[in-house]
Amino acid sequence: MLVLEKTKIDAQVLDFTIMGDERGQLIALEEDMNIPFELKRVFYIYNTVGDIRRGNHANRFSRQVLVCTSGSCKIHLDNGVETMEVDLDRPNKGLYIANNVWREMYDFSEDCVLMVLSNKLYDPDEYIRDHKVFNEMVKNNLL
Ligand code: T46
């Protein structure tokens, strides 16, 4: 794995090695190797309705890697001070997002399958869903 881009926000664009041959392509994701944490959960998002924005929250403890295994989407990141956009447009491109980073996913292609790997099991209580609260927490050094 190659870190393609170190971003100003606590996130990284990752470039996964493709092990292709005459039969097609294969990418392997392994904890503490090309995935920079212990793997606890995988979920995927597909059949997304056009023009929808998902996410709209920060996770207090979950760290994640996002990959479009099919199609494409865009990710908006926000650390309370700066924002950035990342295009996820190929299956060997990943986006690592640290905890306490606000994220929104948008511009899903019809064929998009967005796979998310996480270091934590699902816990709805770890979500910050109000952007004003998120900004206040950043301002007051509570994250
Ligand atoms: C994130 C982005 C990238 C579960 O029961 N288990 C799970 O592991 C997840 C992720 C969700 N759910 C339930 C909770 C909701 O009833 O599935 C429903 C949709 O979840 P949510 O509205 O949180 O989905 P997104 O797309 O807004 O956000 C998800 C993750 O929740 C979030 O951590 O960073 O994808």
Side-chain angles (χ1 to χ4, degrees):
M1 181 210 43
L2 185 71
V3 174
L4 268 190
E5 193 188 323
K6 285 230 176 223
T7 62
K8 56 195 174 182
I9 292 176
D10 196 354
Q12 284 176 0
V13 178
L14 308 172
D15 188 39
F16 301 123
T17 303
I18 302 172
M19 287 164 288
D21 58 28
E22 64 284 351
R23 297 168 299 170
Q25 316 297 350
L26 185 151
I27 293 171
L29 304 177
E30 294 177 286
E31 71 173 4
D32 295 329
M33 303 284 281
N34 52 2
I35 299 302
F37 48 70
E38 188 190 1
L39 256 179
K40 283 277 176 60
R41 178 169 53 121
V42 178
F43 58 94
Y44 38 96
I45 294 166
Y46 62 100
N47 272 357
T48 306
V49 175
D51 288 343
I52 208 79
R53 278 180 99 88
R54 298 191 64 123
N56 301 305
H57 62 258
N59 294 94
R60 288 289 285 116
F61 309 111
S62 294
R63 300 158 66 204
Q64 297 176 340
V65 170
L66 280 58
V67 186
C68 278
T69 56
S70 165
S72 63
C73 71
K74 295 192 170 90
I75 315 293
H76 168 82
L77 298 177
D78 174 357
N79 64 2
V81 181
E82 293 177 294
T83 65
M84 62 179 289
E85 315 301 314
V86 178
D87 278 358
L88 285 182
D89 50 7
R90 51 192 162 85
N92 65 323
K93 182 176 184 177
L95 176 65
Y96 165 77
I97 309 177
N99 52 318
N100 296 324
V101 175
W102 187 270
R103 82 284 317 271
E104 296 171 23
M105 302 91 82
Y106 64 103
D107 232 356
F108 290 87
S109 65
E110 265 184 39
D111 58 345
C112 181
V113 180
L114 175 62
M115 183 176 70
V116 181
L117 291 75
S118 174
N119 68 327
K120 296 282 180 199
L121 299 178
Y122 180 61
D123 175 7
D125 294 336
E126 69 139 344
Y127 284 60
I128 306 169
R129 295 195 177 273
D130 184 327
H131 196 252
K132 277 192 193 143
V133 170
F134 174 71
N135 278 338
E136 281 301 309
M137 290 176 88
V138 171
K139 213 162 77 186
N140 295 307
N141 268 327
L142 296 174
L143 295 180

